[in-house]
Amino acid sequence: MKISNGKKALAAVASLAMLSGMAACGGSSSSSGDNSAANNAACKSYKQYGNLKGKTVTMYSAWIDDEGNATDKSFDQFRQCTGATVKFEGSRDEATQLPVRVKSGSAPDIAVVAQPGMLKSMVKTGKAKPAPESVIKNVDKYYSKDWKEYGSVDGKLYGVALEASTKSFIWYSPKKFKEKGYKVPQTWDEMMDLTKKIAADNKGTKTKPWSVGIEGGSDTGWPATDWLEDAVIRFTDADTYNKWVDHEIPFNDPKILSSFKEIGKILKDNDYVNGGFGDSQSIASTAWQDAGNPIIDGTGYMMHMAPFYQTNYKSSNPNIKIDPDGDAWVFQMPGKTKGSAPMLGGGDFAFAFADRPEVKAMLTYLSSPQWANERAKKLGGWVYPNKAMDKKLLGSKLDKLSYDTLVNPKTEFRFDASDLMPSEVGSGSFWKKMTEYFAQNKSEKDTLDQIEATWPKDK
């Protein structure tokens, strides 16, 4: 997810100019609760958080626009019942600005980051606070051991996962596939055969099999890292992936290079990309929010992107039918053999820079099914790792598909590598060099060599 992974800043489909404007935007609001509401029946379950009248909690994340607004509203009941003022701020530049704010002494009370690597970096500043006992109890009760481990640093819990994403999906148009007689591929070779057929069927036109965009302001590059990570978990094994993440093997290990070249056969072939936008180099300047448009207008047939992209479609045109028989749907990126496809995923973690009672109460609320349910009511397109949430609140077929995939014990889940790596690499050189891979037409080897050279010596 990676997104906001920074990677998940949801914006309506927009032009690059609009995106530049949005970069400065962020949700921000506050509201104080009404004391009389404390006696309301709806507030009974909130008494555990105490009377927080006159107290303020600040929260900073990369969630903006629909996602940011829905998140802000998900705190309304907490505000009303506890009397607390919650000031939520979203910014697409959070990944860049959070370290600056921490260093300058203006850290938020609670931050939400998509990269466990970033969480580790913040813990090493000495400013982040370990999770209070109330949060640890919730995480033990409502989360799997894996998610607790992702939010821990050196065995101590700091971050609580607020949402999860499944990323190894390919968007396509079931209607257009049916019109052309195309079948959803079951293996990697079948996907390559389909790619060749679509290219041949549209030779000499601007229509291409794949549409790809990786531009996202300060988060530019993350969709390209998902491509490489999905290749690594398909063309190597779990042990190699884990060693690559932990730098027990170099970033430019021959197995990683070999995997990179497999996706290079698609991404660097101008007969296969970039439907609706240009050649391979256009991938670097195409906004990821725009990359799904060609699937609807017919100039592209497939796009690699997590299900959260449905929000972009809904925002741009509510009449787009997202359905297995509709205008847009997804299939899981296939593996080398049928049924062997692993699932890449991610999540966002909240952690605190303050340990005042009201901050502990807010973080406890965020780790509860209460909050997951409140947010699910406000925003579709996401699933939550909180096992106790009400699954009926996952509003769309796509949300349920994503959730079922996430909780299926047969799913071979791998956390997004760039989110686990040190932030200097994971949200730094990895994003930057993958962008240069397209923009400057660099080779797979040069790209990996340059990223390897940036790995911090002490990590």
Side-chain angles (χ1 to χ4, degrees), residues 145-188:
K145 291 182 180 178
D146 286 342
W147 285 104
K148 183 177 182 180
E149 182 179 342
Y150 294 142
S152 298
V153 179
D154 297 331
K156 185 178 293 185
L157 183 69
Y158 285 84
V160 56
L162 300 189
E163 62 183 19
S165 63
T166 50
K167 299 184 175 184
S168 301
F169 283 108
I170 306 295
W171 282 88
Y172 74 109
S173 171
K175 284 185 178 178
K176 290 186 170 56
F177 265 44
K178 186 177 181 179
E179 290 173 4
K180 298 295 183 180
Y182 300 149
K183 302 294 183 184
V184 170
Q186 302 298 310
T187 67
W188 187 272

Side-chain angles (χ1 to χ4, degrees), residues 319-396:
N319 294 322
I320 293 175
K321 186 180 179 184
I322 301 174
D323 188 87
D325 297 318
D327 302 304
W329 191 244
V330 297
F331 63 83
Q332 189 167 346
M333 177 181 273
K336 292 173 67 176
T337 59
K338 187 176 181 179
S340 67
M343 177 56 67
L344 183 72
D348 289 77
F349 297 83
F351 64 102
F353 288 101
D355 55 7
R356 305 190 309 275
E358 61 270 26
V359 178
K360 290 181 178 180
M362 181 69 184
L363 200 62
T364 303
Y365 175 58
L366 291 171
S367 65
S368 72
Q370 276 177 305
W371 177 78
N373 290 340
E374 284 298 313
R375 191 163 184 267
K377 294 175 187 174
K378 305 292 189 300
L379 181 72
W382 301 100
V383 293
Y384 301 83
N386 194 312
K387 296 184 294 184
M389 74 162 295
D390 185 351
K391 290 186 289 186
K392 295 192 294 295
L393 295 174
L394 297 174
S396 73

Side-chain angles (χ1 to χ4, degrees), residues 426-446:
S427 57
S429 58
F430 197 0
W431 292 5
K432 181 179 180 181
K433 298 302 178 184
M434 289 298 288
T435 303
E436 292 177 1
Y437 169 67
F438 297 107
Q440 300 177 19
N441 197 26
K442 290 185 175 180
S443 70
E444 288 85 7
K445 185 178 186 308
D446 285 347

